[in-house]
Amino acid sequence: MPEALDRIDKALLIALQDNARLTNAELADSVALTTSPCWRRVRLLEESGVISGYQAILSPKALGYGVTAFVSVMMESHSRETARAFEQRLLEIPEIIACHNVSGRYDFLLEVLARDLESFGEFAREVLQTLPAVKEIYSSFSFKSVKPLRQIPVPQPGA
């Protein structure tokens, strides 16, 4: 965490994570600033990369996705070229909404959305198993999302 973050910067980050649609006036009011200094601080947080973007949070269920699967992928080869080809291909597949290169038995952990179990099975056979150098896949399914929002904890003094 950059040393330059003060109490107000941290309050801005928390407020924006709670509601990125706050107007500058509402945001300024929530941290006891006037609008100009508030706008400058948010802009500095963006320019420094602490705030990397803004995004609407969509409901998978409302869009017809009834299945969330976590897919562990074991690679046949661990060469740099194979990993890059695999990762590049993943970026082209919209049903894969998150991917992590992980330690342990498997090499990657994917979060995948599907309309139903049948369509997930088809996706696994026709897409996942055909990715470059995939040796094995193992899927687990989410019964419910307990903590659906991805909010980054903002460190507080002494933490």
Side-chain angles (χ1 to χ4, degrees):
M1 178 177 76
E3 293 293 324
L5 292 182
D6 64 12
R7 176 186 59 79
I8 294 173
D9 291 330
K10 292 174 183 181
L12 289 168
L13 294 173
I14 291 167
L16 286 170
Q17 278 198 112
D18 286 340
N19 182 1
R21 292 191 67 172
L22 290 172
T23 66
N24 187 52
E26 292 168 331
L27 185 58
D29 188 50
S30 76
V31 297
L33 282 179
T34 58
T35 57
S36 292
C38 180
W39 179 83
R40 281 193 297 272
R41 281 178 175 259
V42 170
R43 182 143 171 153
L44 285 171
L45 290 166
E46 292 168 347
E47 290 170 356
S48 70
V50 174
I51 296 175
S52 61
Y54 300 89
Q55 186 175 28
I57 300 168
L58 306 181
S59 166
K61 185 176 179 180
L63 294 170
Y65 297 105
V67 170
T68 299
F70 295 93
V71 181
S72 298
V73 178
M74 182 185 293
M75 304 298 292
E76 282 181 340
S77 165
H78 293 91
S79 74
R80 183 177 302 170
E81 296 78 26
T82 300
R84 284 187 181 151
F86 178 81
E87 290 170 9
Q88 188 58 45
R89 179 67 180 102
L90 291 182
L91 297 175
E92 302 166 0
I93 304 170
E95 294 88 350
I96 299 173
I97 61 169
C99 173
H100 296 269
N101 185 208
V102 296
S103 64
R105 176 178 177 167
Y106 293 96
D107 301 299
F108 291 92
L109 179 63
L110 314 178
E111 184 174 355
V112 177
L113 295 180
R115 298 213 176 277
D116 52 35
L117 284 174
E118 184 178 343
S119 64
F120 175 80
E122 185 177 310
F123 177 79
R125 285 186 304 279
E126 295 179 12
V127 178
L128 296 178
Q129 291 178 342
T130 64
L131 290 170
V134 169
K135 179 179 181 180
E136 179 181 324
I137 65 171
Y138 177 84
S139 302
S140 298
F141 299 95
S142 173
F143 295 128
K144 72 176 183 176
S145 179
V146 176
K147 190 174 181 181
L149 299 180
R150 179 187 152 111
Q151 291 194 338
I152 308 302
V154 179
Q156 298 302 313

